[in-house]
Amino acid sequence: LGLRQSSSGMPCLPRLPLLGSLLSLRSELPPHLLFTRLTHTYGKLYTLYMGPHLAVVVNDYTHAREVLLGKGREFAGRPYMVTTELLTRGGKDIAFADYSPLWKSQRRLVHSAFSLFGEGSSKLQTIVLEAADCLVAELLSPRAQRECLGNSVCEGVCKCVCLDPAAAVLRAVTNVVCRLVFSGNYSSGDPELREVMDYNDGIVQTIARGDLVDIYPWLRIFPNKDLEKLKACVKVRDNLLTTKLEEHKESLTPGDPRDLLDALLEGKSSGGESGLSDDHVLMTAAEAFGAGVETTSTTILWAIAFLLHHPEVQERVQAELDECVGVERAPLLSDRTRMPVLDSVLCEVMRIRPVSPLLIPHIAMQDTSIGGHPVAKGTRVLVNMWAIHHDPQQWDQPESFRPERFLDSSGQRVTPPTFMPFGAGPRVCVGESLARMELFLFLSRLLQRCHLTVPQGGSLPDLQGRYGVVLQPPRYTLTIRSRT
Ligand code: HEM
Ligand code: PLO
């Protein structure tokens, strides 16, 4: 078609010295939508230059599978970024750390620590249900009723509450993760909880957003407000977690880990994972904490937003809850296999609004290839999960919210292979099963006890996401009514 091609033979966006393809990437659109649109001109596999760095953009399932699974090990590296280096003390975490034997053992350790709380243990279930009950109590509390945004219309006569759920959801999820990571438990209004929520928010706003300083590291020598903000938030995080780490070191009982910090400390000193330093323990705990909060709260807020748009789906979920669980007891993880409707709603939410639409950038650790095209060591690979989840060749009417696509003709849950909200292969999300359990418990309890609607005279939530290190829904208000 007369398109420029890079040395690999893949179509390449126009490129200038030093700037790379940045001029062609200037757009109103967030990157995942821009990359998807560019497929119309360049096809589903193309290259571009982020400043001096060559990147391949993968927009289809077949090549994503090759990168993540078939050649997963070859593409398991991570690029250097100024912001993530600051966040992780030079890659002593898991998500932003380059591939290494130490990274591998860190991952293994976190995996086994999570299984302590997850499947086969009732710990996670107890913690989440307690947090979900607090959330419902807070949403329907007399205070919420007094502060209800709809009081000017109904003068407090109706018992429903109209509010923005974001802060309460974030608080509930943060509390679950505090308990899992360092056995913290905060009541609403606790200043330390506020501190945690504030620093997390500051980091989300400033980290790995594809900003110029991540492309041209030398820019860090110039004053940069975002970088200053990131440093300040990281400092607050470090003070808080260092105190927790010291407390844990003093009170740890060998062989009886209470939480993730204990499990990491044990793994570090058991010799099996030698090479792990206190910094690794701290960065891993901080990351599990950050990932646990941001991804889960974002998915819950997306789920509520789509249920407000589709009241008939909410009714179907509530009918399933009434039939499988009733009103006498809370939903349990053991109910999950009997509740395919709720499970399909969660899948559809993660398909239509993946929290991480471009995953985390991968890097080729050796000379290799994609789709037969040579790819040199050091090339970045951006997997556009948004494009894969919205590919009209794979999904019927991909822009429509239709949970039924995850059910077969007898109503059982099915998972198309092109559905990969957690990524796949050696870099797949370590929190996947934890996240799935948590999402199921939170949403089932919320929908068992509450009915959610759009406020009278109010508007439906905007469904365009705000792109950042996670794709967040814009703020919205809803009306909550108790179902009991
Ligand atoms: C990585 C999604 C929850 C910890 C990832 C990746 C995705 C993802 C797409 C990147 C995969 C790649 O780069 O190829 C999600 C979603 C979640 C979720 C959709 C919930 C709805 C969690 C939770 C935790 C967690 C609860 C921990 C408590 C991590 C870590 C990595 C990761 C540590 C880095 C893995 C690596 O680079 O080796 N996640 N995640 N995630 N996630 Fe999650
Ligand atoms: C969220 C803010 C925290 O303060 C730090 C943090 C750590 C891990 C990150 C997470 C943030 C955002 C979501 C990420 C996660 C690792 C894996 C996860 C990027 C920045 C996803 C969805 O890929």
Side-chain angles (χ1 to χ4, degrees), residues 201-443:
D201 190 45
I203 294 176
V204 169
Q205 286 172 30
T206 50
I207 195 84
R209 292 160 40 93
D211 287 347
L212 286 178
V213 71
D214 277 335
I215 298 174
Y216 306 103
W218 46 267
L219 281 177
R220 71 181 176 281
I221 59 173
F222 297 109
N224 177 330
K225 273 210 180 105
D226 278 357
L227 222 48
E228 291 315 313
K229 182 173 182 170
L230 175 60
K231 284 182 193 161
C233 291
V234 167
K235 201 165 163 190
V236 176
R237 177 201 70 177
D238 288 354
N239 284 340
L240 196 128
L241 284 178
T242 309
T243 313
K244 304 289 173 207
L245 182 71
E246 294 310 323
E247 285 168 6
H248 273 63
K249 275 185 179 170
E250 275 165 29
S251 55
L252 169 71
T253 314
D256 186 21
R258 295 159 292 185
D259 47 35
L260 181 70
L261 256 186
D262 272 0
L264 291 170
L265 282 170
E266 279 220 308
K268 171 180 168 263
S269 54
S270 70
E273 314 293 355
S274 54
L276 287 184
S277 62
D278 268 10
D279 268 9
H280 287 98
V281 171
L282 208 64
M283 292 304 109
T284 310
E287 183 158 294
F289 193 84
V293 170
E294 292 307 322
T295 53
T296 318
S297 58
T298 300
T299 309
I300 293 174
L301 291 170
W302 275 125
I304 298 176
F306 276 97
L307 289 175
L308 294 177
H309 275 260
H310 296 274
E312 75 291 354
V313 176
Q314 184 179 174
E315 269 165 35
R316 282 209 297 274
V317 174
Q318 283 165 339
E320 184 181 66
L321 272 159
D322 292 346
E323 194 188 314
C324 297
V325 183
V327 289
E328 300 295 325
R329 64 168 180 90
L332 301 172
L333 284 173
S334 52
D335 295 316
R336 203 164 119 194
T337 48
R338 289 184 298 123
M339 296 181 55
V341 176
L342 176 55
D343 223 22
S344 69
V345 168
L346 279 169
C347 289
E348 180 66 345
V349 169
M350 293 193 282
R351 178 195 70 83
I352 202 161
R353 292 296 178 272
V355 291
S356 183
L358 296 174
L359 310 187
I360 301 173
H362 287 241
I363 222 164
M365 300 200 301
Q366 61 189 71
D367 289 347
T368 171
S369 64
I370 305 179
H373 302 284
V375 170
K377 177 178 174 180
T379 304
R380 295 173 186 217
V381 182
L382 303 174
V383 178
N384 190 353
M385 202 50 76
W386 176 280
I388 295 167
H389 282 182
H390 289 253
D391 185 346
Q393 284 169 349
Q394 304 287 346
W395 306 92
D396 185 25
Q397 298 182 10
E399 306 311 322
S400 308
F401 181 75
R402 289 178 37 206
E404 319 80 82
R405 59 174 101 241
F406 288 94
L407 298 175
D408 67 13
S409 53
S410 60
Q412 290 309 302
R413 264 269 290 110
V414 286
T415 309
T418 41
F419 174 64
M420 294 189 284
F422 296 92
R427 282 284 180 173
V428 69
C429 174
V430 258
E432 172 168 358
S433 90
L434 196 73
R436 284 184 185 274
M437 289 189 267
E438 202 180 329
L439 289 169
F440 170 80
L441 287 170
F442 255 118
L443 271 173

Side-chain angles (χ1 to χ4, degrees), residues 6 35 37 46-47 76 106-107 128 148 182 184-185 208 256 274 276 284 336 340 397-398 406 415 437:
S6 57
F35 290 158
R37 175 178 289 179
Y46 55 82
T47 63
Q106 237 171 311
R107 254 190 84 105
V128 178
C148 169
F182 54 78
N185 193 10
D256 186 21
S274 54
L276 287 184
T284 310
R336 203 164 119 194
Q397 298 182 10
F406 288 94
T415 309
M437 289 189 267

Side-chain angles (χ1 to χ4, degrees), residues 126-146:
T126 312
I127 295 174
V128 178
L129 286 177
E130 233 175 86
D133 279 340
C134 282
L135 173 64
V136 173
E138 185 181 341
L139 295 175
L140 295 171
S141 67
R143 178 164 167 213
Q145 287 183 16
R146 269 197 314 278

